[in-house]
Amino acid sequence: MKKFLLLLFLILSFEEFCFAQDYHSRWLFTTELSPSFPSSRDRVVSNADNYSSLEWRNRIGVRTFGNLFIGVQASVRNYSETLTLSTDIQSHIGSSTIESRLENTMLGFGPFFNYYLELSPKFYLLGSGFIGLEKGVGAFNYTLISNTCPSCEAEGVTGTFPRRLGESSFKDVLLTYSGDLGMGYLINDAVGIQFMVNLLRYERSSYLTREYNGEPFDNPGFRMFYSESVRSWSSISDRMIFHVGIFMALNFE
């Protein structure tokens, strides 16, 4: 009898061990695109005429218990900010229009968790939180778009437009704590689509411009140099950030 009980215990233990292995080996992969629409206070060039930002992030996580997945994410984000200003330099010289363009590509990495609450066999309510560190070195480019100069030809000064004036490199480091809420829909047993909106976000941003290289020009209102460390909270009412993508199970039962 003792041998039978011992054998039964070993069989149940082995079954429990195998089940645990299978349970914890269920991995989830998500890939998402995310445009963002920050307010002027969330931009480097606060008075920029045009702003664009697009992020691609990928996550891989393992189920810990229930529908909670914990893992790591990697992201690539490109953003640009453009400001165009015209200035009257002197009456006999005329006026010029100069464009300043900041462009940067940020690489990010950090931990995350996703929790899927089943609402029906196809629909899930999705909550997510993550910590992300992004770094990138971009550039401020200054371009002379046009120049009205009545006396230039008489003085032998000619040129073609637009003409690059110069540039300065721009270093950006961003630490983010963020929480998202969204919905997921299962297309089949292996693949689903999801949509998430950022509800609350804390950012610590540090950026710095370096020495300007190029032709000197009269500053018509551009801020040429930045060296700041900014900490701020934002919510969905301040800044709309959403993520659209797919999630895929990497193994199936």
Side-chain angles (χ1 to χ4, degrees):
M1 184 67 179
K2 290 182 179 180
K3 291 182 178 180
F4 173 77
L5 291 177
L6 179 61
L7 179 61
L8 179 62
F9 173 78
L10 291 175
I11 292 174
L12 291 175
S13 298
F14 179 76
E15 182 180 0
E16 178 80 10
F17 173 77
C18 291
F19 175 77
Q21 290 294 97
D22 176 69
Y23 185 78
H24 289 288
S25 68
R26 286 182 289 181
W27 294 81
L28 189 73
F29 174 76
T30 67
T31 182
E32 302 164 312
L33 289 176
S34 172
S36 65
F37 307 94
S39 63
S40 58
R41 73 180 180 88
D42 298 308
R43 304 176 187 177
V44 176
V45 183
S46 59
N47 58 335
D49 303 314
N50 295 292
Y51 178 91
S52 66
S53 175
L54 184 63
E55 179 185 28
W56 179 39
R57 73 180 185 185
N58 296 280
R59 293 176 164 186
I60 185 168
V62 62
R63 186 195 302 268
T64 55
F65 60 89
N67 289 327
L68 177 65
F69 292 83
I70 295 177
V72 294
Q73 71 173 31
S75 64
V76 179
R77 180 167 62 94
N78 180 267
Y79 69 88
S80 64
E81 302 179 16
T82 303
L83 175 62
T84 303
L85 294 174
S86 298
T87 180
D88 291 324
I89 304 174
Q90 294 178 13
S91 59
H92 70 281
I93 295 180
S95 64
S96 62
T97 300
I98 298 175
E99 178 188 85
S100 164
R101 180 179 179 85
L102 167 61
E103 187 151 3
N104 201 355
T105 298
M106 306 281 284
L107 301 179
F109 180 81
F112 79 94
F113 74 84
N114 279 1
Y115 184 79
Y116 295 85
L117 176 64
E118 185 175 352
L119 302 178
S120 73
K122 289 288 187 180
F123 286 94
Y124 288 81
L125 182 65
L126 170 59
S128 178
F130 70 93
I131 302 173
L133 178 64
E134 295 180 86
K135 293 185 178 182
V137 178
F140 267 104
N141 292 311
Y142 297 89
T143 303
L144 183 62
I145 302 299
S146 64
N147 187 38
T148 303
C149 180
S151 63
C152 285
E153 291 185 6
E155 296 174 2
V157 179
T158 60
T160 58
F161 307 104
R163 186 174 79 242
R164 177 68 59 85
L165 294 175
E167 69 174 22
S168 57
S169 62
F170 180 82
K171 182 180 180 181
D172 195 356
V173 179
L174 179 66
L175 178 64
T176 305
Y177 301 84
S178 185
D180 299 341
L181 184 66
M183 293 290 296
Y185 173 76
L186 281 176
I187 299 173
N188 53 44
D189 292 339
V191 180
I193 57 176
Q194 63 186 36
F195 175 85
M196 290 193 294
V197 178
N198 183 238
L199 295 182
L200 190 63
R201 187 180 185 95
Y202 173 77
E203 293 182 336
R204 181 174 178 177
S205 177
S206 299
Y207 45 84
L208 173 71
T209 53
R210 295 170 181 168
E211 184 178 357
Y212 172 77
N213 294 312
E215 301 178 32
F217 64 92
D218 291 331
N219 188 338
F222 295 111
R223 184 177 173 186
M224 300 289 293
F225 299 101
Y226 294 83
S227 179
E228 295 186 24
S229 180
V230 180
R231 304 182 186 188
S232 64
W233 285 93
S234 63
S235 65
I236 187 174
S237 61
D238 304 318
R239 181 178 183 180
M240 175 60 72
I241 303 175
F242 60 87
H243 309 272
V244 179
I246 62 175
F247 58 96
M248 296 177 285
L250 299 185
N251 68 302
F252 321 107
E253 295 181 349

